[in-house]
Amino acid sequence: MGIIDWVIKLGPSVMMPIIFFILAMLFRVGLGRAFKASMLVGIGFVGINVIISLLLESLGPAAEAMVKRFNLDLTVIDPGWPVAATIGWGTPIVPFVVFGTIILNIVLLVCKLTKTVNIDIFNFWTFMITGAVIYSFTDSIVISSIAALLHFLVVLFIADVTAPKIQKEFNLKGVSFPHGITAVFVPVGIAVNWIIDRIPGLKNIKADPETVMKKFGILGEPLTLGTIFGILLGILAGFDLSAILTLGVTVAAVMVLLPKMVDVLVEGLTIIRDAAEVYLKKKFPDREFYIALDTAVLIAHPSVLATGLLMIPSALILAVILPGNKLLPFTDLASLVFLLPMAAPYLKQNMVRLYITGLLILTMVLYAGTSVAEYFTDAARIANVTLPENVSQSTQLANLVGGATTPLGWLLIKLASLFA
């Protein structure tokens, strides 16, 4: 556990260069190029995380202000994905799930049942949180570990199936995204796209970034959309003029800078991927392999980021109008963009289709969170989680962005409850 904790505390910005340097050496990349490639990957992750942190830190106060301004009073509060990650890494199942995941991935690779090499260790929490919630009411390491590994298996399968389309749409090569949250919503996007294609009028609306830019010129560019969305969110939050304008500029900056940081990461990744392709084709001429990455790489697309911003006020409206919902969107409001990126290619990067899908996803998440709140809260206590200052210790918890509140996580929790 001590070694695992130490590795996780390094964070992806340090872990990824080390992992990619080792991979580069294994694939016979020269020492100098291996260092450059791995550091570019690390620098890309640093840049992505810095810009995402800027976005979350800017939107967080706006989201909290909206909650207070509209006087929303629900009994289950969202403490944010960092709390869920801490719970996932804080229960007794951790060593069993971590080593089980690695062994399972190796066995599947050897048996040619997967193409994905899952080195995205930091995001193991996205399926371990499902196991942690189950452990809170079963007190069974076996049942909760099996559930977490099943969650992993499903998203690994989705990662393999979606990799070719995502690589093409996002101009990435040799990668996949076995993410325990985002991957689960790909079938939702496919279903919504199928339905919209059969609705007259709606199916003809073209709202991908390229069409929007062509039709509206400067008004359709990412920096303009970012400015407009930032200002609108500031107005909804009740900010003064200075804060509204600051938020507008900040969101615009994120829309422009985030894709550039992804380009830096991809530059380093390409060096290693090309070497890996040559090496692996010699060793395994009939095989193709994908390297797992964090979906943070995907949110830079304007359609994903813009729709994620629209989902913030929409989540608050849904929380109020959905009958039976008890979950108050709060800390994770700024992170809703992470629910969408893997579904985006199946929705033609169309912001109207993405938004409709986002509403359906939010509805699922709110009801799933309401349903598992009691167990989620117990899991937080077992993990001795220190909650944010704005969350009462007596409040029930469930987060918007986490594996346990996806349809898959909810289903596994409900199935496990039959054995409790």
Side-chain angles (χ1 to χ4, degrees):
M1 280 294 291
I3 295 175
I4 293 173
D5 288 341
W6 182 81
V7 171
I8 295 305
K9 285 177 182 177
L10 289 176
S13 298
V14 177
M15 286 170 54
M16 298 311 284
I18 294 172
I19 292 171
F20 275 95
F21 181 78
I22 294 171
L23 287 174
M25 298 306 294
L26 289 173
F27 296 139
R28 305 294 191 267
V29 179
L31 185 62
R33 278 173 60 80
F35 174 76
K36 178 182 178 181
S38 58
M39 287 304 296
L40 282 172
V41 171
I43 291 166
F45 267 105
V46 169
I48 289 170
N49 288 334
V50 166
I51 295 170
I52 289 176
S53 294
L54 173 64
L55 177 68
L56 300 185
E57 289 169 6
S58 301
L59 293 180
E64 292 180 16
M66 284 184 221
V67 172
K68 294 176 182 177
R69 189 180 187 198
F70 296 112
N71 196 28
L72 301 182
D73 185 21
L74 299 166
T75 57
V76 179
I77 198 166
D78 154 41
W81 72 262
V83 169
T86 304
I87 296 170
W89 287 108
T91 51
I93 70 170
V94 170
F96 302 98
V97 177
V98 170
F99 291 113
T101 298
I102 294 171
I103 293 169
L104 193 56
N105 193 194
I106 292 171
V107 170
L108 292 173
L109 285 166
V110 171
C111 295
K112 300 183 180 181
L113 296 175
T114 186
K115 299 177 182 179
T116 296
V117 182
N118 193 359
I119 60 173
D120 189 23
I121 298 173
F122 180 79
N123 279 312
F124 278 16
W125 76 266
T126 59
F127 48 85
M128 285 200 297
I129 181 63
T130 299
V133 171
I134 290 171
Y135 180 79
S136 72
F137 62 83
T138 63
D139 201 30
S140 170
I141 289 178
V142 173
I143 293 175
S144 50
S145 296
I146 289 174
L149 291 172
L150 285 173
H151 194 142
F152 164 70
L153 279 174
V154 172
V155 299
L156 189 68
F157 170 76
I158 294 173
D160 275 355
V161 172
T162 59
K165 193 169 185 67
I166 289 176
Q167 289 174 24
K168 181 181 178 181
E169 289 286 331
F170 288 94
N171 196 27
L172 297 167
K173 293 182 179 180
V175 298
S176 66
F177 298 86
H179 197 268
I181 304 167
T182 316
V184 178
F185 293 113
V186 171
V188 179
I190 293 172
V192 170
N193 190 70
W194 185 88
I195 292 170
I196 290 176
D197 275 341
R198 284 151 182 79
I199 300 176
L202 186 58
K203 68 178 182 180
N204 297 323
I205 297 176
K206 293 184 178 181
D208 59 280
E210 291 75 16
T211 300
V212 172
M213 287 177 62
K214 185 177 180 180
K215 187 173 183 179
F216 296 99
I218 185 66
L219 292 176
E221 290 193 12
L223 67 89
T224 308
L225 291 175
T227 304
I228 293 171
F229 289 144
I231 289 174
L232 287 175
L233 291 172
I235 292 171
L236 288 173
F239 286 173
D240 59 30
L241 181 59
S242 174
I244 289 172
L245 295 176
T246 299
L247 187 58
V249 174
T250 301
V251 175
V254 170
M255 295 284 283
V256 172
L257 294 175
L258 196 53
K260 297 184 184 302
M261 290 301 99
V262 172
D263 289 342
V264 173
L265 183 147
V266 170
E267 182 183 350
L269 182 65
T270 300
I271 295 172
I272 299 171
R273 187 203 65 82
D274 290 346
E277 186 175 29
V278 172
Y279 179 83
L280 292 172
K281 281 198 178 297
K282 288 181 180 178
K283 297 289 184 180
F284 310 98
D286 61 336
R287 297 291 305 275
E288 182 181 18
F289 295 93
Y290 305 138
I291 297 173
L293 286 182
D294 190 330
T295 49
V297 176
L298 302 180
I299 71 166
H301 196 282
S303 65
V304 176
L305 201 47
T307 308
L309 295 173
L310 284 173
M311 285 172 64
I312 294 175
S314 303
L316 297 174
I317 295 171
L318 282 175
V320 173
I321 66 174
L322 288 176
N325 172 61
K326 297 179 181 178
L327 175 55
L328 172 65
F330 197 54
T331 309
D332 266 345
L333 278 169
S335 304
L336 294 177
V337 65
F338 285 96
L339 300 175
L340 295 172
M342 287 183 68
Y346 296 90
L347 293 154
K348 306 176 183 178
Q349 302 289 2
N350 185 310
M351 287 181 278
V352 171
R353 297 184 182 215
L354 265 171
Y355 181 65
I356 293 170
T357 304
L359 294 179
L360 181 56
I361 289 173
L362 281 172
T363 301
M364 293 177 173
V365 168
L366 288 170
Y367 279 130
T370 299
S371 177
V372 304
E374 180 183 356
Y375 303 144
F376 192 101
T377 307
D378 289 341
R381 294 194 183 102
I382 291 171
N384 295 315
V385 169
T386 301
L387 300 179
E389 294 179 1
N390 51 16
V391 177
S392 167
Q393 293 291 332
S394 60
T395 304
Q396 283 199 330
L397 309 173
N399 64 310
L400 294 174
V401 182
T405 49
T406 62
L408 175 60
W410 177 85
L411 179 61
L412 290 169
I413 291 167
K414 290 302 176 182
L415 288 175
S417 68
L418 300 176
F419 300 95

